[in-house]
């Protein structure tokens, strides 16, 4: 991606592209024609056979210190807040204002990388079922391709059991 192409992208996507480029990641963000605010919308737009290939980013608010907790989960799974709490401490819901302030992204476009403030991050082990996954790239229309193992390298986060049975 050259400088001119980057300038045409929304600010959040430019931040994600810069982070991916700095990490030597081989796939830059792509912009979809329609919004992909949900895992199903993203899977449909990408023509994926499984919504599980979407790495959805869920932000929680840790009660002890008000830190953002990012759970990157497979799109076909539901996060189990009790499992998350055991790993990081008691959490609560994060509203749109909190998400935007802590991550720099709006809900529906939260990327696993390039956050305004580094969150506490957990990666759903269910993502390892797939060879290729897609994650939000800082905007509801932006996504990027990666392997589940790339999430570990890009975020430094552990893989854990964080979803409902």
């Amino acid at each position: 991606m050259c400088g001119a192409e980057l300038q045409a992208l929304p600010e959040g996507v430019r931040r994600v592209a810069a982070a991916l480029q700095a990490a030597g990641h081989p796939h830059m963000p792509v912009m979809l024609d329609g919004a992909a605010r949900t895992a199903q919308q993203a899977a449909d737009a990408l023509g994926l056979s499984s919504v599980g290939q979407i790495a959805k980013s869920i932000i929680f608010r840790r009660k002890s210190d008000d830190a953002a907790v990012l759970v990157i989960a497979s799109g076909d799974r539901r996060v189990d807040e009790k499992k998350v709490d055991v790993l990081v401490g008691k959490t609560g819901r994060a509203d749109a204002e909190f998400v935007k302030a802590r991550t720099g992204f709006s809900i529906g476009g939260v990327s696993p990388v390039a956050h305004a403030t580094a969150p506490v991050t957990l990666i759903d082990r269910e993502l390892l079922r797939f060879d290729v996954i897609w994650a939000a790239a800082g905007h509801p229309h932006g996504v990027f391709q990666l392997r589940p193992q790339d999430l570990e390298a890009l975020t430094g986060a552990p893989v854990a059991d964080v979803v409902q049975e």
Side-chain angles (χ1 to χ4, degrees):
M1 205 171 255
C2 71
E5 289 172 317
L6 282 176
Q7 292 306 317
L9 296 172
E11 187 273 333
V13 180
R14 288 196 309 266
R15 279 197 346 257
V16 171
L20 294 173
Q21 210 164 31
H25 187 70
H27 303 287
M28 288 295 106
V30 295
M31 297 299 287
L32 302 172
D33 291 333
R37 286 185 173 86
T38 69
Q40 188 63 61
Q41 287 174 333
D44 291 347
L46 292 164
L48 299 176
S49 60
S50 174
V51 71
Q53 288 179 267
I54 301 300
K56 61 184 179 182
S57 295
I58 313 273
I59 299 287
F60 295 96
R61 187 179 204 152
R62 187 162 58 190
K63 293 187 176 186
S64 66
D65 60 1
D66 216 32
V69 175
L70 168 63
V71 178
I72 307 164
S74 184
D76 62 352
R77 299 294 193 255
R78 189 168 176 84
V79 174
D80 185 329
E81 293 177 49
K82 290 177 183 165
K83 289 181 179 180
V84 172
D85 288 355
V86 167
L87 295 170
V88 302
K90 186 74 176 146
T91 60
R93 297 273 181 204
D95 63 18
E97 184 178 318
F98 178 86
V99 172
K100 181 73 171 178
R102 292 299 196 285
T103 69
F105 305 118
S106 296
I107 292 174
V110 176
S111 174
V113 299
H115 288 242
T117 305
V120 174
T121 305
L122 299 170
I123 300 167
D124 169 20
R125 69 180 183 186
E126 293 295 317
L127 285 166
L128 300 176
R129 296 175 290 157
F130 303 101
D131 294 328
V132 173
I133 59 174
W134 291 81
H139 186 276
H141 291 250
V143 294
F144 69 98
Q145 181 182 330
L146 68 165
R147 298 171 307 144
Q149 300 82 354
D150 296 333
L151 278 176
E152 294 176 80
L154 290 168
T155 66
V159 173
D161 175 10
V162 292
V163 296
Q164 296 175 359
E165 297 301 322

